[in-house]
Amino acid sequence: MQRRDLLKLLAVAAPLGGGTGRLMAAPAADGARLLVVFLRGAYDCANLLVPISGAASDFYRSARPGIAVPMPGEANGALPLDGDWGLHPALAGSLLPLFQKKQAAFIPFAGTNDLTRSHFETQDSIELGQALDGGRDYRSGFLNRLAGVLGGGPLTAVAPIAFTDQLPLVMRGEAKAANMALGNVGRQGIDARQSQVIAAMYRDTALAQPVAEGFAVRDEVLRSVKAEMDAASRNAMTAKGFELVARRMARLMKDRFDLGFVDVGGWDTHVGQGAGTGYLATRFEELGRGVAGFAEEMGEAAWRDTVVVVISEFGRTFRENGNKGTDHGHGTVYWVLGGGLAQAGGRVVGEQVALTQPGALFQNRDHPVLNEYRAVFGGLFARMYGLSPAQLDHVFGGVAPKDLALV
Amino acid sequence: MSFLRSPAVQNAAPTWRLLVASVVALLAACSSVPTPTLAVAPADAAAQRQWLDRVSWGANADDARQVASVGVPRWLGAQLHPRPAPLPAAAQAQIDAMRISRTPLEQLARELEDQRKAADALADDDAKKAARQAYQQALNQLAREAQQRFLLRALYSPNQLQAQMTWFWMNHFNVSTRKANLRALVGDYEETAIRPHALGRFRDLLGATLRHPAMLRYLDNAQNAANRLNENYARELMELHTLGVGGGYSQDDVQALARVLTGVGVSLREDGAPPPRLRPELQAAYVRDGLFEFNPARHDMGPKTLLGAPITQRGLAEVDEALDRLARAPATAHFIANKLAVYFVADVPPPALVERMSATFQRSDGDIAAVLTTMFESPEFTASLGRKFRDPVHYVVGSVRLAYGGRVVASMDPMIGWINRMGETLYAHETPDGYPLTQDAWASAGQMTTRFEIARALGANGAVLFRGDNQAPLEKPPFPPLAESAPVRDGLPALSSATRQALAQAATPQDWNTFYLASPEHNHR
């Protein structure tokens, strides 16, 4: 019996979701913004958040003779976050300052119970956010369902966008959602009159909505990028790579969009991933610069109402493989950032276990999952938006939200 | 053959020389094909155009004439069992001039390796930097050539179905030029591992991809060795290449297959070079074939159980035993049949059709042409015509074929750029799952806007395809004569009233082209 039924009952009893959560930012959730960053390829969380004390540290080092991040104080060593955990040194200039300002938190042992260890399968299942034991509905991603719920209540309007050249599964569904990749924004070739004629051709087709939305977003992005060009011509620094995209995302989310998604690839490190420096370190550095740039570009006021969650489909093997890399694993570490994190800011939160010997590993191989992603996101959404149980149940059917007091 | 005396060919003689040449090529292709019994017959010109849009890379005037001339069944028979057929001379000349055409892979790989080592060995920092850049540029150029060659064949090959299937299998057995030096290998991978088997036996195709250095490097098997297992290739081989996820394998099977694959790798040794030093009892098991190497010293010789049954062979023969098992598994038949139906019929293909294709796959031991025949003859296929959304590569190639027919493009740069802008860069999908085949992935808001920009670029400025260097002035008029092309005229009656209204609002021929190429009808195949 059924958690789902119980939630439905509760929903009837308390339609406004009384005790479920609180609004993140007074006076209303209207200013709240959420960005989900998906690291595709299953990044090696064991080198992001490094055990630095006692038996856990010893076990980590012995499992990774070629790729362990050095201890704090050693060259390219981990940056201590608390007594147990150290941060990868490539994030010294970007993520660490946010953590110290209590604007970043980490959730280790996070992930999905999907055990296929397939990138594609697991990315899909996470983006869909549906129960694993039922059939899949590929037309319903969890951010899209969230948009549907928000549009009907706590927000007066919701404007979701994926900053990707294809609309990802997580954003597909009934609610309208835009997409546009920001790395390479060109000049406009189709003028206003042509846009109208083309939109009219599609008016009675299944593609009417994306066509119309595409023209609207294009106009918005071009305006924003033009402002960036003007600034750059006055000798402002121009960012590159993911940081450029992240700063553009921040300007668009500050002004027009409140629910965002972006993905970053290149995390599938089967070979030669490096330790304190090397391939993975470079990826961390670039990502860190991006999220720090996003926070800065947002500006203090908007950043206070913003939450960024960085996720990945799963973690990697705890032990290094034969090629100084890592293979597909299970649990991972999620990052939560925002200007208005509550007690979680500057902490490593969620249920944890010390990995001190092989028996502590999941299937003698991986990080176990102790903080299931749907429960974690459910708890976050409840707090951010004050969602009712019924609304939460619409987003993540049958899941009890886990309140980590993130905001 | 009686065919040679058909009136269509006799009448064609003086003014249709090109057509005759192609028909002769087709005849050669038909020579070993049994009298066609294919039950395929589009009803009228509009239906035939739609049919051609699906079976080829997009209808153009030349192919439409050929189909009309030899009849659909015979044309399709030749497509399913292709024989070498010449490209137009101007296209073949471009291919012949490429380094990937002139240099065998072994030589190419060694030359590049020497170039890399020489660059690394330079003492002077500036000289080293320049030499490394030159090396990277050489790699880029090789990948570029593979893209150009692919596009030339998609545009102009008389074997259109083979060209489409080559794309399909390159995507199914995806490798990515974004990894290591795969830029040097991808052209040969397509030419020797994929294209010859694109309509042949699936097992041969699977074996050819496994033995190619591009795949072995891309999925890290070149580094997979006894007691230093790397599971990457083993996992994707079952999940993506054969059984499909949920196809009945476990984590234990992944590890068993990874152990089977230990020692399967790549060697840059010269052809006549002696094998590596091996213990005497291992020497007979050593295999080298071009860049492919099986090194028994790296192989896990222990007993293995894969998919519930022991592996009975030893050494490299284990690999063939494992591939036989995977290729013949019913899950593989279903997985491949379904994917072909997604590509050719519908995003969610009719289950009954997939079942019949899967049955053909099993009955024919994985004969790809036979599976496709089942599909082409099905009423489900006919009913689906005009309803499959074009992915970016189909959109760009189909548009250029429609706009310019057999006139050979001089610069591939614009097409490559358009495909890149829509996010389907050839050979560059980073992850082994390949590009998605369904509308959801390619019809989002951002995609549609980009596509309309490209419709305008081609519709108003298509002449960019015909200048050798991009500083040269454009020919006049700079746009294609789209409204005058026969396939466009054939399709006009089938356009919706909204599309016809849009075309009527065109202020210029460029406008007309842009609206046509942007239309819902043209965005489907």
Side-chain angles (χ1 to χ4, degrees):
Chain A
M1 158 103 189
Q2 303 326 335
R3 177 95 214 153
R4 169 179 287 228
D5 295 341
L6 179 63
L7 286 174
K8 278 180 185 157
L9 274 175
L10 286 174
V12 173
L16 294 175
T20 323
R22 63 175 184 88
L23 297 188
M24 169 187 176
D30 248 346
R33 299 172 187 83
L34 172 69
L35 173 72
V36 175
V37 180
F38 201 129
L39 307 185
R40 294 194 192 270
Y43 87 96
D44 179 31
C45 66
N47 273 13
L48 182 276
L49 217 52
V50 176
I52 54 169
S53 81
S57 173
D58 295 343
F59 184 43
Y60 165 78
R61 258 149 253 295
S62 67
R64 299 186 158 222
I67 61 167
V69 175
M71 287 290 272
E74 296 175 21
N76 297 308
L79 315 163
L81 296 179
D82 60 20
D84 296 325
W85 298 105
L87 185 66
H88 193 285
L91 295 161
S94 55
L95 200 52
L96 185 65
L98 286 170
F99 189 85
Q100 287 163 341
K101 279 193 281 184
K102 303 198 186 305
Q103 295 184 358
F106 297 101
I107 311 171
F109 307 104
T112 163
N113 295 325
D114 186 322
L115 263 179
T116 59
R117 293 196 179 90
S118 151
H119 294 298
F120 321 109
E121 189 69 9
T122 316
Q123 288 175 17
D124 286 0
S125 81
I126 287 183
E127 292 184 58
L128 296 172
Q130 298 160 11
L132 291 174
D133 50 3
R136 286 187 171 185
D137 177 359
Y138 279 91
R139 306 257 355 163
S140 180
F142 81 79
L143 284 182
N144 190 284
R145 293 197 298 278
L146 176 66
V149 161
L150 295 178
L155 300 195
T156 47
V158 58
I161 184 166
F163 301 103
T164 52
D165 60 20
Q166 298 166 26
L167 190 67
L169 269 187
V170 72
M171 280 283 194
R172 291 187 203 164
E174 285 173 14
K176 75 180 172 72
N179 74 305
M180 183 158 182
L182 299 180
N184 218 343
V185 179
R187 262 197 315 243
Q188 179 175 349
I190 297 275
D191 64 27
R193 179 191 63 91
Q194 290 170 320
S195 303
Q196 275 176 4
V197 172
I198 291 171
M201 271 198 286
Y202 282 87
R203 194 166 292 143
D204 296 324
T205 74
L207 294 173
Q209 186 265 319
V211 168
E213 184 72 12
F215 285 130
V217 172
R218 174 202 61 188
D219 295 345
E220 196 76 34
V221 168
L222 286 174
R223 266 195 294 278
S224 171
V225 169
K226 186 172 179 309
E228 170 191 312
M229 302 294 180
D230 293 346
S233 69
R234 294 191 301 269
N235 296 328
M237 275 259 277
T238 316
K240 290 200 175 81
F242 180 63
E243 187 186 352
L244 171 68
V245 169
R247 287 180 179 272
R248 286 177 174 175
M249 290 192 301
R251 285 194 295 275
L252 286 162
M253 289 194 69
K254 190 172 165 181
D255 295 337
R256 167 134 170 13
F257 299 98
D258 49 18
L259 192 54
F261 175 90
V262 71
D263 50 17
V264 185
W267 306 94
D268 195 13
T269 49
H270 286 276
V271 173
Q273 66 178 58
T277 59
Y279 177 82
L280 183 63
T282 309
R283 306 295 300 140
F284 279 147
E285 194 190 354
E286 188 180 1
L287 179 66
R289 272 206 316 272
V291 294
F294 181 90
E296 183 184 87
E297 197 75 41
M298 211 25 125
E300 208 171 305
W303 180 236
R304 205 176 302 128
D305 292 340
T306 301
V307 176
V308 176
V309 187
V310 180
I311 67 174
S312 191
E313 63 263 35
F314 43 72
R316 306 190 71 82
T317 46
F318 189 75
R319 299 179 185 88
E320 70 182 49
N321 67 14
N323 313 128
K324 294 192 174 13
T326 44
D327 291 317
H328 297 189
H330 189 42
T332 183
V333 175
Y334 289 178
W335 318 5
V336 181
L337 306 106
L341 297 197
Q343 335 44 322
R347 291 178 51 216
V348 179
V349 301
E351 199 174 323
Q352 300 171 39
V353 61
L355 302 177
T356 54
Q357 34 84 25
L361 298 177
F362 178 75
Q363 296 182 346
N364 188 21
R365 178 181 171 104
D366 321 313
H367 291 80
V369 167
L370 306 175
N371 301 292
E372 199 266 342
Y373 78 104
R374 298 198 305 159
V376 170
F377 271 109
L380 173 67
F381 296 165
R383 283 199 167 243
M384 274 185 79
Y385 304 107
L387 296 188
S388 71
Q391 289 171 319
L392 281 175
D393 196 56
H394 181 75
V395 181
F396 294 118
V399 172
K402 178 168 192 152
D403 187 1
L404 298 178
L406 294 169
V407 295
Chain B
M1 289 171 71
S2 61
F3 197 91
L4 269 176
R5 293 184 293 276
S6 82
V9 176
Q10 283 174 356
N11 294 344
T15 46
W16 298 70
R17 261 182 315 210
L18 263 178
L19 174 61
V20 171
S22 335
V23 169
V24 169
L26 260 175
L27 290 177
C30 290
S31 60
S32 74
V33 178
T35 310
T37 52
L38 294 165
V40 184
D44 53 26
Q48 197 157 313
R49 193 230 139 137
Q50 284 189 324
W51 184 86
L52 201 48
D53 262 339
R54 186 73 67 76
V55 178
S56 75
W57 271 107
N60 71 9
D62 291 350
D63 281 314
R65 273 198 298 272
Q66 283 188 9
V67 173
S69 158
V70 306
V72 163
R74 191 175 288 272
W75 190 83
L76 181 58
Q79 293 293 312
L80 285 162
H81 302 279
R83 292 302 180 84
L87 292 180
Q92 191 59 46
Q94 290 184 43
I95 293 177
D96 291 344
M98 293 176 182
R99 189 177 180 193
I100 53 170
S101 308
R102 290 181 282 113
T103 318
L105 181 66
E106 292 81 359
Q107 185 188 335
L108 194 58
R110 284 188 206 111
E111 284 174 7
L112 283 160
E113 187 61 8
D114 291 345
Q115 186 180 354
R116 186 185 67 78
K117 283 183 183 157
D120 286 352
L122 288 171
D124 177 67
D125 277 351
D126 287 344
K128 181 184 280 189
K129 195 175 163 196
R132 281 179 171 167
Q133 258 173 10
Y135 168 70
Q136 291 298 330
Q137 277 165 6
L139 287 175
N140 291 342
Q141 179 55 27
L142 293 167
R144 191 81 171 177
E145 286 182 355
Q147 293 180 322
Q148 291 165 340
R149 184 180 64 186
F150 168 82
L151 288 173
L152 285 165
R153 286 180 176 146
L155 287 168
Y156 308 115
S157 173
N159 293 323
Q160 280 288 296
L161 184 62
Q162 183 189 40
Q164 266 213 82
M165 289 305 294
T166 299
W167 188 93
F168 175 84
W169 292 121
M170 281 298 282
N171 195 55
H172 181 82
F173 294 103
N174 184 55
V175 299
S176 173
T177 49
R178 293 193 178 154
K179 183 155 181 167
N181 66 347
L182 258 76
R183 285 165 285 173
L185 307 178
V186 75
D188 187 81
Y189 179 65
E190 178 171 282
E191 187 70 359
T192 64
I194 302 287
R195 203 162 69 99
H197 305 292
L199 288 154
R201 281 182 70 235
F202 178 76
R203 173 64 179 82
D204 296 337
L205 178 62
L206 182 65
T209 58
L210 184 137
R211 281 174 164 258
H212 201 281
M215 180 60 80
L216 295 173
R217 287 248 168 93
Y218 174 59
L219 287 177
D220 301 319
N221 206 74
Q223 317 223 27
N224 182 24
N227 302 318
R228 290 194 286 124
L229 278 194
N230 191 310
E231 295 173 2
N232 202 14
Y233 185 33
R235 179 183 303 280
E236 308 306 3
L237 190 53
M238 289 195 281
E239 175 182 337
L240 298 173
H241 298 169
T242 58
L243 303 170
V245 76
Y249 60 92
S250 66
Q251 175 62 38
D252 287 345
D253 290 317
V254 172
Q255 277 173 320
L257 185 56
R259 290 173 57 221
V260 167
L261 290 168
T262 48
V264 173
V266 178
S267 166
L268 288 181
R269 262 182 267 268
E270 295 284 344
D271 261 347
R277 285 207 305 199
L278 294 169
R279 295 201 305 278
E281 71 272 20
L282 293 180
Q283 282 168 7
Y286 180 81
V287 176
R288 191 152 64 83
D289 177 11
L291 299 181
F292 173 83
E293 178 186 63
F294 175 73
N295 185 345
R298 294 165 60 82
H299 182 70
D300 180 338
M301 293 291 183
K304 306 167 185 85
T305 296
L306 179 69
L307 300 173
I311 292 285
T312 60
Q313 305 289 311
R314 285 295 165 260
L316 182 56
E318 290 178 24
V319 173
D320 283 324
E321 186 180 3
L323 289 195
D324 285 344
R325 199 173 290 175
L326 292 171
R328 296 206 171 114
T332 297
H334 188 271
F335 182 61
I336 300 296
N338 187 70
K339 191 159 176 180
L340 285 166
V342 169
Y343 180 68
F344 274 112
V345 181
D347 292 1
V348 182
L353 173 63
V354 174
E355 279 318 305
R356 298 203 304 281
M357 292 168 66
S358 176
T360 302
F361 188 103
Q362 292 186 65
R363 195 172 55 241
S364 66
D365 198 19
D367 181 335
I368 296 160
V371 176
L372 290 177
T373 301
T374 298
M375 183 186 75
F376 288 136
E377 289 186 333
S378 72
E380 292 96 327
F381 180 80
T382 308
S384 75
L385 294 177
R387 295 182 182 186
K388 180 79 189 163
F389 192 75
R390 290 190 207 249
D391 64 78
V393 177
H394 271 100
Y395 179 75
V396 168
V397 175
S399 298
V400 173
R401 277 173 61 83
L402 186 69
Y404 287 109
R407 188 184 165 196
V408 174
V409 165
S411 167
M412 292 291 153
D413 291 356
M415 289 179 74
I416 290 173
W418 295 332
I419 292 169
N420 293 351
R421 275 185 66 191
M422 288 191 282
E424 204 176 13
T425 303
L426 294 168
Y427 316 117
H429 189 72
E430 273 183 85
T431 52
D433 54 340
Y435 288 111
L437 303 176
T438 55
Q439 172 170 333
D440 276 353
W442 301 114
S444 63
Q447 281 278 322
M448 295 307 290
T449 316
T450 305
R451 192 169 288 215
F452 301 146
E453 306 277 346
I454 288 157
R456 183 186 164 279
L458 174 60
N461 240 11
V464 292
L465 296 163
F466 298 99
R467 57 180 179 183
D469 81 85
N470 42 21
Q471 302 307 318
L474 286 182
E475 65 183 29
K476 298 290 174 193
F479 50 84
L482 209 49
E484 294 154 32
S485 97
V488 168
R489 286 201 309 268
D490 285 346
L492 286 178
L495 297 179
S496 73
S497 62
T499 299
R500 281 199 295 253
Q501 277 171 27
L503 293 173
Q505 292 177 60
T508 61
Q510 294 96 312
D511 242 17
W512 198 96
N513 288 345
T514 303
F515 295 154
Y516 185 87
L517 295 173
S519 68
E521 288 86 349
H522 182 69
N523 277 283
H524 291 76
R525 61 187 172 106

